[in-house]
Amino acid sequence: MQSFLAQVVAHLHRQHGEQMSTITIVLPSQRAGLFAKALIGRQMGKTIWAPRVCTIHEFVEDLSDLEMLDGMTLLFELYATYQEVEGQDAESFERFGKWGQIMLNDFSEIDRYMLPTEQVYADLSDIKVIDNWSLSGEELTENQQNYLDFWRKLGTYYRHFAEKLLERNKAFQGLAFKQVAENIDALHQNMEGPIYFVGFNALSKAEETIIRAFVEAGKAEVFWDADTYYLNNHNHEAGLFLRRHKKNWNINPLPWEAEYLSKESKNINIIGVPQSVGQAKVAGDILQQIGGADYTNVALVLADETLLMPVLNSIPMQVEDVNVTMGYPLKNTPLHNLFELVFVLQENAQRLLRGGDDRKFYYKNILKIFHHPYIKSLLNTAEAGNFSETIIAIISAKNKVFIDFEEIKSYAEEQHRPLLDQMAFLFEKWQQIPDDALDCFVKLIEVLKDRFINDELLANKLELEYLYQYTTIVKKLQTLFGQYTFVNELKSFKAIFHQVVNAGSLSFFGEPLRGLQLMGMLETRVLDFETVILLSANENTIPKAKQDSTFIPFDLKRYYHLPTHIEKDAIYAYHFYRLIQRASNVYLLYNTENDDFGSGEKSRFITQLQHELPKINLNIKINEQVLATPVVQNESLPVPIAKNEQILEQLTQLYKSGLSPSALNTYINCPLDFYYKYILQLRETDEVEETIEARHMGSFVHQTLEEFYTPFIDKNVTAADLKAMLPRIEAEMMRQFEKKYSTEEINFGKNYLIFRVAVKFVDRFIRQEMVLLEETGTPLFIKFLEKKLRSTIHVPINGQPQEVVIKGEADRIDTLGNTIRIIDYKTGNATRSELNVRQLDAVTTDPKYSKSLQLLTYGLLYAKNFGNELALQSGIVSFRNLKEGVLSTRINQSETLNQETLQEFEELLQQLVQEIHNSEIPFQHNEESTYCKFCH
């Protein structure tokens, strides 16, 4: 089937023959112009002077003597006008930017439709007055008056803005179109014909006026691309604008009306796919099934252009040539991510500034910068090795939440500091906004450019292209900020930077006329393909969701015939139906996954097509299927680890260094975890603690109590001694905290609360001890603090006695009256039920009794080292449950650990070690272990 453009070119060739170079062809897009030139060359069969091929915007720009400014320059110009009108009452540029762009869009749209701007805004002002009218006759508040003043001044803003631009022969797009349309009778005299306007659908009043002037002067002809299916159906939105043109221009029928949708054979496949990435994968499968030599007549259309990268990664290898007509957004590049990290670093540094020039940065912001691949490429050299990871590890180990750059440099070795110096500008204070920020970005681009160019391993054309594109953006902003000086806040500068970047994209270069055509919806205008694969054919994507980025309400738009969401839906409908009208094979993919915005609903155009088209065209086959992601049963429990000779040898070495209660409890909880921690010796990664962890608070409490009680080792402690400790608690606790955290990190937020809790724990504990001594009248004798205990048990393994060292560290061992107490401090909670053991063998099999195993181990080790001359108890002081006093482990209702109990416990330990060493019992995950959900 001949494409629309091919029909046009053939027609023009018949009319003009060798004189094709004398004509002008105006098309909706540059992509269509490229295809038109190729078709002309093919039609002529030889080298000729090409006709002029341009877009409607280029055509109007040539007619006008006005320079059309870009969006950002226009926003700055509009703000300057706004300041002139408002004077001292003008809002900041940051606040203006939120509604200034909307005002610009409205200005341009009003002018494109050649409306009396002052009258439109006068009507809008009247509407707002009516909205605020009160039947009770109450006077308006000051806020209401200011609100109405804003609407009254919109016309004034426009007048001053337009006059100011026209004085300098500059304009925004709508103003330029309006100026040309109003003076078209004089302007078209200078334009030589013939001119052909090809494939247009929706035209603004200005565009329509310009085109009709040339047509009526006999200098132009219009070629419409229309199908009778939607053109002659007055209820079908796809033909809305073409029907208007037929009526307004008195053209009946439209030239080249065709019946593709109502008569031609088509295979239409409607495929629902979960998730957007799923659509990309299915599109790749479709391309593989299609086959073909060059895919030249296949279009892969992305209604949602954010799918570009997933789609590119899903194209099968057999597709050798791919022409990407859309650009890759600069905001998705790694370089933009690095700029964002620098913005966040500087913003948070400003918030942290507490007077003076003390520049401290939040550690997470610093680590993210050091983790960025571009910064790693600067720091990781052949001589320095993986220096970025080294400095990251040091920062984490220092546990500083807020840190300055000089301190970071001090952590590095002398020979590595020049590597950090080359990025020192990232941490300099931005005092003059935006100059300092732009200078920082220029330096960053230069440093990265030198690195990518000079290092052959890193030379990458794509990365250098990113740098080039951002160089143009920074230079443009430097020019703008040189002319306009009203941006002096970081927040405002960041918003402008984002606006410029969001409008930019990285163009792909390739052979545009060969291979698979990968394009956005608007790029398909005027083009036809044998096979069309359309992705994201969802409601609110095709057509786009209603967007109210305008100050003009719906009713006023309808009155002045400005486009509303109804017209915009009609434009999308035309693009959709025009795209498939000449295609033989159509694949319409949509996302079936629902979210809060209903993205799982297929486009209304698909539903319309399903219900209406088969009734008038029996040659159309519509197949619908919904794909589902197969449910994968997650049965991949950790693989058991068999004990080979190497592991058994490591266990033997572990026996020599010693098994602690923690190691034994780990095995009881989960043998596989024991293997990870004590055989493979895997440990969690050190990270900076913003909030003091419970384990560290416990350490500080231990250390404070050790500091207080150390002078009393081998002495009695009296109530008076304890009372003397009370005033020193806060200062000593602060000293312990400051060993790991800075003062400013302790004195605010959650860390301050944790510090106060730790102080309270120690205060209450010492007061509890005072009460104990006063009530019992019994002396408290301190024997040991933080006492390391070790002893050997003999375990029969494979018929041979194996010496196994058991070790532990008791927080305190004292004597109270005739009882020796082994005490373990715990800042967490502990209950009597955990220490009340009915069957002793439960301590080596049930994780519930982990605390009892620990206390029994301390008791056994003490007895082996010092004997049992007095009654022996082993217990816990829970700082969350101090009123209970010392919670001693209780075996068969007895708190005293006698020789018989300890002997039985030693035998149980021997059996546990035998199980650990048994080569027939693998290290296997304990499915009943509940702590695994927290295990790293």
Side-chain angles (χ1 to χ4, degrees):
M1 186 183 300
Q2 194 175 30
S3 70
F4 173 67
L5 265 185
Q7 291 175 344
V8 170
V9 169
H11 175 78
L12 295 178
H13 181 244
R14 286 193 297 269
Q15 280 194 320
H16 300 282
E18 300 295 321
Q19 304 302 313
M20 288 277 282
S21 60
T22 62
I23 68 174
T24 298
I25 303 174
V26 184
L27 293 157
S29 70
Q30 291 181 337
R31 177 64 46 183
L34 196 62
F35 275 79
K37 289 177 183 178
L39 288 167
I40 291 170
R42 203 174 303 150
Q43 182 75 41
M44 299 301 294
K46 61 179 180 179
T47 303
I48 64 164
W49 288 108
R52 184 185 176 218
V53 180
C54 62
T55 65
I56 186 70
H57 299 102
E58 293 168 339
F59 182 76
V60 171
E61 194 168 10
D62 286 347
L63 286 171
S64 172
D65 61 350
L66 301 173
E67 177 190 353
M68 291 194 209
L69 300 178
D70 64 87
M72 184 51 62
T73 304
L74 286 169
L75 189 63
F76 277 66
E77 288 278 359
L78 180 58
Y79 183 69
T81 301
Y82 167 73
Q83 281 187 315
E84 290 175 7
V85 174
E86 294 295 337
Q88 296 296 321
D89 296 329
E91 292 186 349
S92 67
F93 184 81
E94 179 190 346
R95 298 189 64 181
F96 168 83
K98 296 175 182 178
W99 50 268
Q101 192 60 53
I102 299 174
M103 192 187 299
L104 270 176
N105 295 339
D106 284 343
F107 288 171
S108 189
E109 187 171 68
I110 289 170
D111 277 356
R112 285 174 73 100
Y113 282 83
M114 302 179 69
L115 300 175
T117 311
E118 299 273 358
Q119 184 59 50
V120 172
Y121 282 121
D123 291 343
L124 176 58
S125 176
D126 289 343
I127 290 171
K128 298 302 178 182
V129 170
I130 293 171
D131 287 344
N132 285 270
W133 178 57
S134 172
L135 286 172
S136 62
E138 294 178 2
E139 291 189 7
L140 298 179
T141 65
E142 183 180 353
N143 283 339
Q144 287 174 315
Q145 288 287 4
N146 292 336
Y147 176 75
L148 294 178
D149 284 344
F150 170 78
W151 297 107
R152 292 189 189 102
K153 290 179 180 178
L154 286 177
T156 305
Y157 296 149
Y158 170 84
R159 186 177 67 255
H160 282 261
F161 182 50
E163 289 173 354
K164 187 176 177 182
L165 291 177
L166 291 173
E167 285 173 3
R168 292 159 33 218
N169 286 326
K170 300 182 185 299
F172 50 89
Q173 191 180 87
L175 181 60
F177 271 70
K178 180 181 179 181
Q179 290 290 311
V180 170
E182 288 178 343
N183 299 285
I184 192 61
D185 291 337
L187 292 173
H188 79 70
Q189 303 293 334
N190 302 321
M191 180 72 71
E192 295 294 329
I195 303 165
Y196 297 96
F197 296 92
V198 178
F200 287 92
N201 173 44
L203 297 172
S204 67
K205 181 67 180 297
E207 290 168 333
E208 189 174 343
T209 301
I210 294 166
I211 294 173
R212 286 189 68 172
F214 281 98
V215 171
E216 291 170 359
K219 292 184 176 182
E221 189 176 349
V222 182
F223 296 142
W224 311 99
D225 187 9
D227 192 287
T228 56
Y229 167 68
Y230 52 77
L231 181 63
N232 296 332
N233 181 351
H234 291 275
N235 294 319
H236 204 298
E237 62 266 56
L240 176 66
F241 290 98
L242 294 176
R243 289 192 295 272
R244 287 181 183 176
H245 298 326
K246 282 182 69 173
K247 179 181 178 182
N248 296 340
W249 295 32
N250 196 24
I251 309 172
N252 195 17
L254 282 180
W256 300 1
E257 286 184 21
E259 296 180 311
Y260 300 114
L261 288 169
S262 55
K263 291 186 177 179
E264 297 294 334
S265 298
K266 296 181 186 300
N267 291 312
I268 300 176
N269 298 278
I270 301 167
I271 306 172
V273 185
Q275 299 295 343
S276 297
V277 175
Q279 294 180 72
K281 299 301 180 185
V282 172
D285 292 340
I286 293 170
L287 290 172
Q288 200 154 13
Q289 293 167 13
I290 291 173
D294 59 8
Y295 290 87
T296 300
N297 218 3
V298 178
L300 184 53
V301 183
L302 308 184
D304 178 4
E305 297 188 8
T306 61
L307 286 180
L308 177 60
M309 295 312 292
V311 167
L312 285 175
N313 287 315
S314 302
I315 293 175
M317 295 296 294
Q318 69 192 56
V319 183
E320 296 181 359
D321 297 308
V322 179
N323 178 42
V324 183
T325 68
M326 66 191 77
Y328 183 63
L330 287 177
K331 64 182 180 181
N332 294 341
T333 61
L335 185 58
H336 180 68
N337 176 252
L338 181 54
F339 282 126
E340 279 295 291
L341 295 178
V342 175
F343 267 123
V344 173
L345 180 81
Q346 291 289 341
E347 285 175 323
N348 287 344
Q350 283 192 2
R351 295 190 187 104
L352 291 170
L353 212 56
R354 296 185 176 91
D357 293 323
D358 185 18
R359 295 284 287 170
K360 287 188 179 293
F361 301 95
Y362 183 39
Y363 82 98
K364 280 189 177 180
N365 301 150
I366 295 174
L367 293 184
K368 284 180 180 179
I369 286 179
F370 281 128
H371 274 300
H372 194 280
Y374 287 1
I375 299 300
K376 284 186 175 182
S377 73
L378 294 175
L379 298 179
N380 298 342
T381 64
E383 297 78 17
N386 199 0
F387 178 57
S388 64
E389 293 301 327
T390 302
I391 201 70
I392 287 169
I394 293 173
I395 293 172
S396 299
K398 293 293 182 181
N399 206 66
K400 291 291 186 83
V401 178
F402 305 109
I403 188 170
D404 61 53
F405 186 68
E406 289 303 316
E407 191 173 354
I408 295 174
K409 279 180 60 180
S410 70
Y411 298 156
E413 297 179 9
E414 190 68 34
Q415 67 269 25
H416 293 156
R417 288 176 187 173
L419 292 172
L420 291 173
D421 284 335
Q422 66 180 326
M423 53 181 289
F425 60 86
L426 295 177
F427 300 89
E428 291 174 359
K429 182 179 180 181
W430 289 357
Q431 293 180 318
Q432 300 296 324
I433 302 294
D435 294 343
D436 290 350
L438 290 171
D439 288 344
C440 174
F441 290 164
V442 169
K443 291 176 184 176
L444 179 57
I445 290 170
E446 287 298 318
V447 168
L448 292 173
K449 183 190 71 173
D450 292 342
R451 180 64 169 152
F452 288 135
I453 289 176
N454 296 332
D455 194 329
E456 293 182 1
L457 295 175
L458 294 171
N460 188 308
K461 291 182 179 179
L462 190 59
E463 309 298 335
L464 290 172
E465 185 65 28
Y466 295 157
L467 294 175
Y468 172 75
Q469 294 292 336
Y470 271 93
T471 299
T472 60
I473 287 175
V474 171
K475 295 297 183 186
K476 177 181 179 180
L477 288 174
Q478 285 179 323
T479 302
L480 280 174
F481 291 130
Q483 296 174 352
Y484 308 96
T485 58
F486 38 72
V487 175
N488 52 21
E489 293 181 358
L490 180 55
K491 198 172 181 181
S492 300
F493 169 68
K494 184 179 179 182
I496 294 168
F497 183 81
H498 281 165
Q499 190 167 343
V500 176
V501 170
N502 290 343
S505 62
L506 188 68
S507 299
F508 292 92
F509 295 95
E511 175 50 59
L513 303 173
R514 188 177 67 224
L516 174 69
Q517 301 294 313
L518 181 54
M519 55 182 60
M521 198 69 181
L522 292 180
E523 293 292 333
T524 66
R525 289 175 293 182
V526 190
L527 304 180
D528 297 297
F529 300 92
E530 181 70 20
T531 300
V532 172
I533 306 169
L534 175 61
L535 274 61
S536 299
N538 284 82
E539 191 65 18
N540 292 335
T541 303
I542 301 178
K544 290 283 188 186
K546 296 177 184 177
Q547 295 176 337
D548 295 326
S549 55
T550 177
F551 288 140
I552 306 171
F554 177 82
D555 290 343
L556 195 59
K557 282 197 168 195
R558 294 290 286 173
Y559 176 77
Y560 280 108
H561 304 293
L562 287 171
T564 65
H565 67 271
I566 297 172
E567 283 74 22
K568 291 173 183 176
D569 287 358
I571 292 172
Y572 266 93
Y574 176 76
H575 292 330
F576 176 81
Y577 280 96
R578 204 218 63 79
L579 177 62
I580 67 174
Q581 68 189 27
R582 289 182 182 83
S584 298
N585 300 295
V586 179
Y587 298 87
L588 305 175
L589 279 62
Y590 67 94
N591 180 11
T592 59
E593 290 295 305
N594 283 303
D595 60 18
D596 293 340
F597 302 100
S599 65
E601 183 181 356
K602 62 187 174 187
S603 170
R604 72 187 78 161
F605 298 152
I606 296 180
T607 305
Q608 184 182 39
L609 182 149
Q610 286 177 289
H611 286 83
E612 296 179 1
L613 204 53
K615 296 176 182 178
I616 62 170
N617 187 352
L618 299 178
N619 295 320
I620 283 185
K621 296 180 180 178
I622 298 180
N623 303 307
E624 183 174 14
Q625 56 181 318
V626 177
L627 305 182
T629 304
V631 178
V632 178
Q633 296 296 332
N634 187 9
E635 297 178 352
S636 56
L637 290 175
V639 178
I641 304 298
K643 297 169 187 171
N644 56 28
E645 290 298 324
Q646 184 181 2
I647 291 176
L648 293 175
E649 177 57 32
Q650 287 176 285
L651 282 171
T652 302
Q653 295 303 316
L654 181 60
Y655 302 153
K656 293 178 181 178
S657 63
L659 288 173
S660 66
S662 295
L664 296 172
N665 276 321
T666 299
Y667 180 83
I668 295 167
N669 264 300
C670 180
L672 189 61
D673 192 35
F674 175 87
Y675 168 74
Y676 290 146
K677 289 181 178 176
Y678 295 95
I679 304 300
L680 296 185
Q681 297 185 352
L682 299 180
R683 294 291 182 267
E684 292 180 28
T685 305
D686 286 336
E687 294 182 351
V688 175
E689 294 176 20
E690 289 185 65
T691 303
I692 298 167
E693 292 185 0
R695 60 191 174 98
H696 285 135
M697 185 186 75
S699 298
F700 300 145
V701 170
H702 281 61
Q703 291 158 11
T704 300
L705 290 175
E706 182 182 7
E707 188 70 25
F708 283 157
Y709 282 91
T710 295
F712 299 99
I713 294 176
D714 289 332
K715 295 180 182 177
N716 286 327
V717 181
T718 66
D721 295 327
L722 294 170
K723 187 174 181 180
M725 297 176 187
L726 296 177
R728 298 166 46 206
I729 294 175
E730 186 163 338
E732 181 59 34
M733 186 66 73
M734 179 61 76
R735 193 173 73 86
Q736 298 298 337
F737 268 72
E738 287 178 343
K739 291 179 181 179
K740 190 170 179 63
Y741 303 94
S742 66
T743 305
E744 65 177 0
E745 291 162 5
I746 300 169
N747 285 335
F748 69 92
K750 290 183 179 179
N751 287 348
Y752 177 73
L753 297 178
I754 292 169
F755 171 76
R756 300 309 311 174
V757 168
V759 170
K760 193 70 173 176
F761 277 170
V762 175
D763 181 85
R764 288 174 57 196
F765 173 73
I766 292 175
R767 291 180 187 277
Q768 184 92 355
E769 296 247 279
M770 290 169 59
V771 172
L772 175 68
L773 293 182
E774 290 170 356
E775 289 180 349
T776 62
T778 306
L780 175 64
F781 183 82
I782 305 297
K783 293 175 67 68
F784 303 106
L785 295 174
E786 304 296 332
K787 178 64 176 175
K788 289 180 169 55
L789 300 169
R790 293 173 67 92
S791 186
T792 301
I793 63 173
H794 295 82
V795 182
I797 294 177
N798 298 327
Q800 299 293 326
Q802 172 75 54
E803 287 190 349
V804 177
V805 173
I806 305 296
K807 63 182 180 179
E809 184 172 346
D811 293 332
R812 184 170 109 184
I813 302 175
D814 62 29
T815 302
L816 185 65
N818 295 320
T819 302
I820 295 174
R821 303 187 307 171
I822 303 172
I823 295 175
D824 186 63
Y825 300 136
K826 291 205 180 295
T827 49
N829 200 14
T831 62
R832 290 195 181 276
S833 62
E834 298 173 276
L835 304 175
N836 190 9
V837 182
R838 297 182 182 277
Q839 298 292 329
L840 190 58
D841 59 358
V843 298
T844 56
T845 57
D846 190 343
K848 172 185 174 181
Y849 296 111
S850 60
K851 293 183 178 68
S852 294
L853 182 140
Q854 179 184 9
L855 296 175
L856 285 166
T857 302
Y858 292 162
L860 176 65
L861 294 176
Y862 182 85
K864 281 181 169 287
N865 282 277
F866 302 104
N868 269 26
E869 71 276 12
L870 296 175
L872 180 63
Q873 292 181 359
S874 186
I876 288 173
V877 171
S878 170
F879 287 93
R880 295 180 185 273
N881 195 16
L882 279 173
K883 62 183 179 182
E884 295 286 343
V886 177
L887 299 171
S888 297
T889 186
R890 183 176 297 182
I891 310 298
N892 294 324
Q893 303 302 316
S894 173
E895 293 185 352
T896 300
L897 301 180
N898 55 42
Q899 186 62 38
E900 182 182 347
T901 297
L902 294 177
Q903 179 62 39
E904 185 180 351
F905 176 65
E906 183 176 351
E907 292 171 0
L908 291 172
L909 288 182
Q910 292 171 341
Q911 293 172 19
L912 183 60
V913 173
Q914 285 177 325
E915 180 184 324
I916 293 173
H917 203 88
N918 190 336
S919 59
E920 296 182 1
I921 302 176
F923 290 118
Q924 191 161 1
H925 172 66
N926 180 5
E927 295 182 23
E928 296 180 359
S929 179
T930 58
Y931 90 105
C932 285
K933 65 180 71 174
F934 310 109
C935 177
H936 287 257

